[in-house]
Amino acid sequence: KAHTSTQHLGKLFQDLLTSAKAEDGRLQNHPVVTEMGEYLEQLTQDLRFSAEKKGLGMEYLIGAVGQATSGNRGEAGGNKVVRPLYYAHIDPDRMREVITNLFDNATKYTDSGKVSVGITGDDHVVQIRIQDTGAGIPKEDVPHLFEKFYRVDNTATRTIGGTGLGLFICRKIVEMYNGRVWVESTLGQGSIFYINLP
């Protein structure tokens, strides 16, 4: 119990420090041009374990329609497909924090079903989406979700715990790259978190 409490305090302290730095522009940031498709695919491979450990399905989708990739890179139903490239100017470590946070939330609040990570875009924007089949978010909570210390107050959130800073930090990081993060959710059907990056 002491060990768990210490870990929780450490996480809270780290989140407080990160959010304070994000607010006053001291967050270390080293953006480079990154091909987001390959970056995201690698990241979802790293995150896959936490979904599978909970018995959830996991998929990575590329393109507007959302063509699922299994092991066959660049093939869909036997037809060769040219894989689109999506470039953004981001710090890979900072963006990893954002996607990991959103993915962890998706797995935490989903008891059965799957978590999907997808990417699409055009000449102006790269869009990443993280979709779950979880409990969903009440409509009245959605506008406040990315505020500092805001937490949805229901049975699920009380048992799962958290600092109420994760989504605030996500928003601050995405805004560093002139991007935008938001959510669409239906209670009882799950949520989709979107990130748009120029």
Side-chain angles (χ1 to χ4, degrees), residues 37 83 122 142 197:
R83 178 177 171 154
D122 57 27
V142 169
L197 295 167

Side-chain angles (χ1 to χ4, degrees), residues 113-148:
K114 66 181 177 184
V115 177
S116 308
V117 178
I119 187 166
T120 187
D122 57 27
D123 291 345
H124 307 288
V125 72
V126 177
Q127 185 174 89
I128 297 163
R129 63 194 179 282
I130 296 165
Q131 182 170 3
D132 64 59
T133 55
I137 301 157
K139 200 157 54 173
E140 62 273 14
D141 289 305
V142 169
H144 307 287
L145 220 55
F146 294 92
E147 291 172 10
K148 198 174 184 181

Side-chain angles (χ1 to χ4, degrees), residues 38 93 170:
E38 194 171 330
D93 293 331
C170 287

Side-chain angles (χ1 to χ4, degrees), residues 28-185:
Q28 281 201 323
N29 180 37
H30 306 286
V32 292
V33 174
T34 306
E35 201 288 290
M36 296 302 292
E38 194 171 330
Y39 167 81
L40 198 61
E41 185 171 24
Q42 183 58 58
L43 185 49
T44 52
Q45 287 302 325
D46 297 345
L47 295 169
R48 182 179 291 274
F49 176 71
S50 64
E52 289 177 348
K53 190 170 73 172
K54 205 175 166 187
L56 300 172
M58 159 85 210
E59 65 182 357
Y60 176 58
L61 305 159
I62 303 169
V65 179
Q67 167 201 331
T69 62
S70 46
N72 304 338
R73 285 173 64 99
E75 290 191 20
N79 300 319
K80 298 267 184 213
V81 176
V82 177
R83 178 177 171 154
L85 299 176
Y86 302 107
Y87 290 97
H89 194 239
I90 52 126
D91 181 326
D93 293 331
R94 287 284 170 225
M95 195 49 66
R96 173 183 282 266
E97 281 180 61
V98 173
I99 291 158
T100 302
N101 191 309
L102 295 178
F103 187 88
D104 285 349
N105 281 353
T107 52
K108 270 196 295 193
Y109 296 108
T110 303
D111 291 326
S112 63
K114 66 181 177 184
V115 177
S116 308
V117 178
I119 187 166
T120 187
D122 57 27
D123 291 345
H124 307 288
V125 72
V126 177
Q127 185 174 89
I128 297 163
R129 63 194 179 282
I130 296 165
Q131 182 170 3
D132 64 59
T133 55
I137 301 157
K139 200 157 54 173
E140 62 273 14
D141 289 305
V142 169
H144 307 287
L145 220 55
F146 294 92
E147 291 172 10
K148 198 174 184 181
F149 295 118
Y150 189 85
R151 295 201 68 220
V152 175
D153 186 26
N154 60 28
T155 323
T157 57
R158 273 181 239 124
T159 52
I160 288 169
T163 62
L165 287 168
L167 292 178
F168 171 77
I169 293 168
C170 287
R171 178 171 65 86
K172 285 292 186 183
I173 292 172
V174 170
E175 285 173 355
M176 282 199 305
Y177 311 117
N178 299 312
R180 184 167 90 88
V181 59
W182 75 98
V183 63
E184 291 174 5
S185 187

